[in-house]
Amino acid sequence: MNLLITNARVLDPSQELDATLDLLIEDGTVSKLDKKIKAPAGVAVIDASGLVATPGFIDLHTHLREPGQEHKETIATGTRAAVAGGYTAVCAMANTVPPNDERAVTEMVVAEAARNGWCRVYPIGAVSKGLKGEELAELADLRAAGCVAVSDDGKPVYNAQLMRRALEYCTMLGIPVVAHEEDANLVEGGVMHEGYYSTLLGMRGIPAASEETLVARDVILAKLTNAHVHIAHLSTEGAVDAVRRARKDGVKVTCEVTPHHIALGDDSVQSFSTNLKMNPPLRSEMHRQAIIEGIADGTIDAIATDHAPHHFDEKNVEFDLAPFGVIGLETAFAVCYDRLVLEKVIGLSRLIELLSCGPARIFNLPGGTLKKGSLGDVTLIDLEARHQVARDSHSKAANTPFLGETFVGRVVTTIVGGAIKYDLRTAPAAQAPKTQRKKK
Ligand SMILES: [Zn+2]
């Protein structure tokens, strides 16, 4: 696909670039970046005056729910939400039904994404067969079929020996193991962060230690095996600290945080909204500040959404009974721009690094750069646009914790391989409100 983007403020941290330029994409890849580019015959032109052009966002942690839970989300609807949020690629978690623990499932995801996906989809395979934590999945087979990482996300790998073997195999395969860190014995039926507000509200708490004990173990195992472990959705002070120390020690550990853990604390659970129930839970202000510090000092490598759609009926129950998880693809940029850039924690360039270049580096994916010859994946952002989060998500689900909040800064166009996959100006409306939708 060919496309010329003119007059954009091109912001590309991978080449320390921040200048008003034209950008030409030919045959799906960036062919030229210059002050004034004359449109070759027959090439479509987008005037991006007043907009910022960045390498397309890459989400390391998306639950697309297909196969098996298409009432929550599908590859088509999830990737539609992704492009509406500026994502040109998402990594699809393995905890589908059946889980992505064998080649046939990976191939199904890849094929469906090619048919009906709006952006690139990189599957993540399971660590263990059936996500049971007992026996390793056929990791080499998963890798050969297209998996870019492995994870039993939703559950930790309890067996340290199995984790060690996974790390060793994945080193040979050149992919990371993504760790969901949570000791269920310590969680023991908890539904929110254990602290002042869980006591106040009389709800069972999930201690920070449930996460920190396993993070500590896995950086030790990464050191032992000299393998790459990537810690998913890190949420506590102790976890940030463990990663920081291990990194100094030369351990190959990377980590991600979610926009909701950046933006919200456990005090917000006082509303009892089930859209504030996720795993790991929203933590106390001390932990939230530790995450923000980790972002500022470079300990945290990426922002990942942990987009976890649920059907309206599933979330429309008491807090105790609701499933964990919130959606996040469409609001990630605005939330992080608001809480991190407008509040002067980091600059815009560092935010783009966390949303695009960092993720590409961690999973060794193409993209995350606008250098000549790289993928023509571009996100156009209007930093002045105000937008109120409504129930009009492109996702099948509407379980956002940011409903009704107004943000400044919005993705307006998403380009994948030179093709416009989302444009707010031509396709503003999403689906009808979801509250009345019937269960399939
Ligand atoms: Zn997880």
Side-chain angles (χ1 to χ4, degrees), residues 25-347:
I25 300 168
E26 288 180 300
D27 298 326
T29 58
V30 176
S31 63
K32 208 171 177 187
L33 199 55
D34 212 335
K35 283 233 168 64
K36 274 276 165 272
I37 300 173
K38 202 167 162 278
V43 169
V45 180
I46 300 189
D47 180 10
S49 304
L51 303 179
V52 181
T54 74
F57 303 162
I58 299 170
D59 191 23
L60 296 181
H61 197 139
T62 312
H63 295 277
L64 291 176
R65 306 297 194 204
E66 189 174 359
Q69 295 181 303
E70 289 85 354
H71 67 287
K72 294 176 193 265
E73 192 79 287
T74 64
I75 289 170
T77 58
T79 54
R80 177 74 178 141
V83 292
Y87 287 91
T88 55
V90 296
C91 301
M93 271 302 172
N95 63 341
T96 47
V97 185
N100 184 9
D101 64 352
E102 58 171 337
R103 180 188 272 267
V105 180
T106 311
E107 284 171 351
M108 177 265 148
V109 171
V110 169
E112 176 58 16
R115 256 193 318 267
N116 291 316
W118 291 79
C119 67
R120 301 176 201 278
V121 175
Y122 299 112
I124 296 175
V127 170
S128 65
K129 286 184 183 159
L131 306 174
K132 290 193 177 120
E134 291 163 2
E135 198 185 337
L136 283 184
E138 297 293 342
L139 303 183
D141 233 26
L142 290 170
R143 173 73 183 123
C147 288
V148 296
V150 292
S151 180
D152 276 359
D153 185 60
K155 298 181 200 167
V157 176
Y158 283 117
N159 182 328
Q161 174 70 344
L162 196 78
M163 187 64 167
R164 176 189 183 167
R165 293 284 174 249
L167 286 163
E168 285 168 347
Y169 280 119
C170 286
T171 305
M172 289 189 272
L173 300 172
I175 54 174
V177 176
V178 180
H180 168 113
E181 309 292 39
E182 173 193 29
D183 186 318
N185 293 311
L186 286 169
V187 170
E188 219 202 346
V191 294
M192 68 176 291
H193 174 64
E194 179 180 299
Y196 173 78
Y197 287 101
S198 65
T199 308
L200 187 76
L201 301 173
M203 295 217 257
R204 220 181 245 254
I206 301 174
S210 67
E211 176 171 332
E212 291 163 354
T213 47
L214 277 175
V215 172
R217 183 201 74 176
D218 286 341
V219 294
I220 291 168
L221 291 177
K223 186 174 180 181
L224 172 70
T225 53
N226 196 28
H228 177 186
V229 68
H230 176 73
I231 313 287
H233 45 54
L234 172 150
S235 74
T236 77
E237 183 181 43
V240 178
D241 230 41
V243 169
R244 190 182 284 127
R245 273 184 285 122
R247 185 87 55 77
K248 265 194 200 128
D249 224 17
V251 178
K252 287 183 204 152
V253 55
T254 52
C255 65
E256 69 191 31
V257 297
T258 72
H260 45 271
H261 288 107
I262 292 169
L264 303 168
D266 61 347
D267 57 319
S268 57
V269 178
Q270 290 176 95
S271 73
F272 291 107
S273 163
T274 57
N275 291 341
L276 295 161
K277 182 175 176 183
M278 70 288 282
N279 190 8
L282 297 174
R283 300 288 186 185
S284 68
E285 185 61 15
M286 177 190 83
H287 293 295
R288 195 180 77 85
Q289 285 303 334
I291 281 171
I292 288 177
E293 230 176 272
I295 288 172
D297 75 9
T299 304
I300 284 151
D301 304 277
I303 290 169
T305 66
D306 194 6
H307 179 83
H310 290 292
H311 191 275
F312 178 78
D313 295 345
E314 295 168 310
K315 277 288 198 182
N316 193 23
V317 293
E318 282 168 58
F319 196 91
D320 267 352
L321 303 175
F324 291 97
V326 295
I327 57 170
L329 287 165
E330 288 162 271
T331 48
F333 174 79
V335 170
C336 297
Y337 181 66
D338 182 272
R339 299 298 206 278
L340 298 174
V341 180
L342 294 180
E343 292 190 8
K344 299 200 174 2
V345 176
I346 53 171

